[in-house]
Amino acid sequence: MTSQMPERILIDGKPHLLHALPLYRLLASRRVRISAPDEWTTNCHRQYVGTWDVIDGKLCLVALSTYGDRERPLSDAMRSWFLRLVPATRFPVSAEWFSGHLRIPTGPMLLWGFHG
């Protein structure tokens, strides 16, 4: 299996890798998908990349893009659809639906492998 493109989280304003999928359960419970407008790639089966931040002690989605042959911002139509789904009027979106763990590697990579 191809290693997957991780989500991102901002820590002190700097992007870090996030090995968690805070949107997964929300999308699965609503039985919807975010689809890239172009060909999908094996390194991002979910077809989206979220950028997250902790704002006032809450996990928030600050940006969302599709990921097919490359990363692209959401179209206006997809942005409107997503904000109605959540529901919110704009980004950042408080991730009220998420109660899982966030894995954020901060040190040097010690082991490289395909572990699912």
Side-chain angles (χ1 to χ4, degrees):
M1 175 177 197
T2 305
S3 192
Q4 295 296 293
M5 170 72 69
E7 300 272 280
R8 288 183 285 265
I9 190 163
L10 302 174
I11 299 174
D12 296 327
K14 296 177 186 167
H16 291 266
L17 302 179
L18 174 60
H19 293 282
L21 300 174
L23 270 179
Y24 176 80
R25 292 248 184 247
L26 174 72
L27 297 174
S29 70
R30 306 271 172 92
R31 296 185 175 152
V32 295
R33 300 179 39 133
I34 295 173
S35 297
D38 50 9
E39 295 291 321
W40 66 276
T41 179
T42 59
N43 76 330
C44 192
H45 286 254
R46 66 188 184 282
Q47 298 186 40
Y48 67 84
V49 175
T51 301
W52 303 85
D53 197 356
V54 176
I55 300 171
D56 296 329
K58 296 180 181 181
L59 181 65
C60 295
L61 180 62
V62 295
L64 184 61
S65 56
T66 59
Y67 196 96
D69 64 351
R70 61 191 167 102
E71 189 170 347
R72 298 173 191 232
L74 292 181
S75 67
D76 290 340
M78 187 168 278
R79 174 185 283 270
S80 295
W81 168 83
F82 179 77
L83 290 173
R84 283 192 310 272
L85 176 76
V86 180
T89 56
R90 60 191 158 132
F91 286 93
V93 175
S94 179
E96 305 281 333
W97 63 85
F98 183 74
S99 62
H101 296 278
L102 302 175
R103 290 182 26 220
I104 306 166
T106 57
M109 185 183 305
L110 301 176
L111 175 69
W112 174 261
F114 301 107
H115 304 290

